[in-house]
Amino acid sequence: MPHQTDPTHAGPGAATTARHSDHSGHRHGAGECDTTGRRGMLLFGEGPTYLSHLPTYECPHNFQVLAEVELGPALEVIRADRTRHGDGIYTFDPSPFPIAELEPGVGAPGRTAIEGTLVRGHFERGGTPIASGVRADVRHMVWFSRLDTESDTDTEPVPGRELRYLCFGCDNHMYLVHELRERPSFDQVLSVRLVPGTVRTQVGHPLDDDVSALRFEQAQPVSFGRGDGVEHRLGVGEVVTASFPATRSPSFSRGFTLGIEVERQLYLEIGELA
């Protein structure tokens, strides 16, 4: 479901300065933030299927959230719609709910399901609803982080900040999502392929790991040895070396590196995170 955006061209899903609508009816006093709101999410993948919250740096949308979900019969609706209309993006427009309920924690399991509307295209930019009352059961949280609403609206990236993505998936369904930290930033979702025979220790010694056996149910932060500006983002067709400094491979107890080929860009948003 590719969504390739050139920030110099306006259009559905292009980089803009529009903000998410908040239809919760909640007002927030000084210093507090009710996280209830309208939670537009990118929907991608079929085995497994993921939701990626489309964030901004303003409360109550200042969360980067990735969840693996089960859609049940609604997945067939998407497949049939894609057959008729092509391989564009799909979004999920849930009924307002407190996104903080998705945060993993000790004790109570938190929110385990979200209900809403499936939309062909971007839910706020001319998308077409294709199914309502859809239940997305949350299998597990892939990533959950709260963005700093107090970060400055600088026009330049933080000096020395390294480009980092979140790697997750399994088998032939592997993804990279740009990790959001201080602004300015960008939201990018990529479908990637792990290159066979490229697993190495951090100092370059080859490892015997079969990349087809690597599975990341929880997102693993990876870096690429370049600055974190939008102009340095990964592009389709690139083959890059990813460093997994905090992840162990099946055959090695410390971090490792491997080659990753970027196959498709599924989503890119720049303006809302500038």
Side-chain angles (χ1 to χ4, degrees), residues 118-140:
L118 286 177
V119 179
R120 182 195 323 121
H122 195 295
F123 78 110
E124 283 188 323
R125 300 174 187 166
T128 301
I130 60 172
S132 60
V134 174
R135 177 185 171 102
D137 291 303
V138 179
R139 292 192 60 187
H140 68 266

Side-chain angles (χ1 to χ4, degrees), residues 136-171:
D137 291 303
V138 179
R139 292 192 60 187
H140 68 266
M141 296 305 301
V142 176
W143 183 262
F144 186 103
S145 67
R146 186 186 299 256
L147 307 180
D148 182 8
T149 60
E150 303 300 321
S151 60
D152 294 332
T153 56
D154 295 332
T155 56
E156 296 294 332
V158 176
R161 189 174 67 186
E162 190 173 24
L163 183 70
R164 285 208 312 237
Y165 283 74
L166 305 168
C167 183
F168 58 96
C170 60
D171 301 323

Side-chain angles (χ1 to χ4, degrees), residues 44 57 86 96 98 101 109 142 153 158 164 183 196 202 226 228 245 253:
F44 60 98
Y57 282 97
E101 292 182 353
V142 176
T153 56
V158 176
R164 285 208 312 237
R183 70 196 312 170
Q202 293 282 351
R226 35 171 117 167
D228 197 34
S253 61

Side-chain angles (χ1 to χ4, degrees), residues 49 56 85 107 249 251 263 270:
T49 298
T56 72
H85 297 282
S249 78
S251 68
E263 294 188 318
I270 300 171

Side-chain angles (χ1 to χ4, degrees), residues 3-94:
H3 178 223
Q4 300 191 28
T5 300
D6 183 340
T8 63
H9 292 78
T16 71
T17 56
R19 300 295 180 214
H20 289 302
S21 301
D22 185 348
H23 294 177
S24 65
H26 292 256
R27 295 183 180 274
H28 315 302
E32 61 183 48
C33 178
D34 184 337
T35 69
T36 303
R38 189 181 180 194
R39 300 290 166 198
M41 299 180 176
L42 179 72
L43 175 68
F44 60 98
E46 293 188 9
T49 298
Y50 299 99
L51 289 175
S52 176
H53 176 233
L54 306 179
T56 72
Y57 282 97
E58 286 73 38
C59 171
H61 304 290
N62 57 312
F63 293 85
Q64 183 170 32
V65 177
L66 296 164
E68 182 183 337
V69 298
E70 290 280 358
L71 290 180
L75 191 56
E76 292 301 326
V77 174
I78 295 175
R79 289 169 177 160
D81 189 81
R82 186 182 297 117
T83 298
R84 294 191 299 269
H85 297 282
D87 200 17
I89 72 163
Y90 288 83
T91 52
F92 189 62
D93 185 9

Side-chain angles (χ1 to χ4, degrees), residues 254-270:
R254 291 176 290 178
F256 62 95
T257 68
L258 64 79
I260 291 182
E261 180 182 3
V262 181
E263 294 188 318
R264 306 171 73 187
Q265 178 170 276
L266 307 182
Y267 187 80
L268 175 65
E269 175 59 56
I270 300 171

